[in-house]
C-alpha cells in the first residue's frame, strides 16, 4: 500500500505546499498591481479551502474526518484540478518549474495506484 505509505504522504504534503506556492507565483506574474496581490492570495486560499473541506470519509491519507463528505471520484477531481491549476499558472512565471511540478505530481499518482483505486471505489 504505497499510496498510504508515510514517505509518499510526506511527498504529497510537500506537493500540496508547492502547488499553493506555484499558484501564488503564477497568479502574481499574470496580473498587475493591485490585482497581483489579490490573485496571489485568493487563488491559493480558495484551493486550500476546497482541498481541506471536501474529503472522502475514512481516507487514510488524511485524518479520516470529512467536513463535507464527497465521493472518491469528486475528491480525485478536486486534487487533479488543484495540481493542474498550479502547473498552468506556474507555466507563465517559470515554465521549467511547471514541468518539474507536473512530473512530480505524475510520480506521486503513479506511486499511489492503491489510493486511486480506493478513491474510485468509494
Amino acid at each position: 500500500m504505497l499510496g498510504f505509505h508515510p514517505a509518499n504522504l510526506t511527498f504529497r504534503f510537500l506537493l500540496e505546499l508547492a502547488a499553493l506556492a506555484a499558484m501564488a507565483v503564477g497568479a502574481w506574474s499574470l496580473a498587475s498591481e493591485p490585482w497581483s496581490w489579490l490573485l496571489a492570495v485568493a487563488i491559493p486560499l480558495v484551493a486550500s479551502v476546497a482541498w481541506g473541506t471536501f474529503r472522502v470519509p475514512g481516507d487514510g491519507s488524511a485524518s479520516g474526518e470529512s467536513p463535507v463528505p464527497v465521493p472518491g471520484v469528486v475528491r480525485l477531481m478536486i486534487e487533479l484540478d488543484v495540481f493542474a491549476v498550479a502547473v498552468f499558472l506556474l507555466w507563465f512565471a517559470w515554465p521549467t518549474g511547471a514541468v518539474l511540478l507536473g512530473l512530480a505530481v505524475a510520480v506521486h499518482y503513479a506511486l499511489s495506484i492503491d489510493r486511486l483505486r480506493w478513491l474510485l471505489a468509494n
Side-chain angles (χ1 to χ4, degrees), residues 6-97:
N8 196 27
L9 294 178
T10 301
F11 181 40
R12 178 178 159 185
F13 176 69
L14 295 174
L15 284 175
E16 293 168 22
L17 294 178
L20 294 175
M23 286 181 198
V25 169
W28 174 271
S29 72
L30 287 176
S32 58
E33 296 280 344
W35 296 108
S36 57
W37 283 102
L38 178 65
L39 292 176
V41 171
I43 292 174
L45 181 64
V46 168
S48 63
V49 167
W51 189 280
T53 302
F54 301 101
R55 295 219 165 266
V56 178
D59 186 356
S61 68
S63 66
E65 298 177 14
S66 304
V68 177
V70 295
V73 70
V74 172
R75 175 60 190 187
L76 184 57
M77 288 298 104
I78 290 170
E79 290 181 16
L80 293 176
D81 286 344
V82 166
F83 287 128
V85 168
V87 169
F88 175 77
L89 288 174
L90 187 57
W91 181 264
F92 294 101
W94 185 32
T96 304

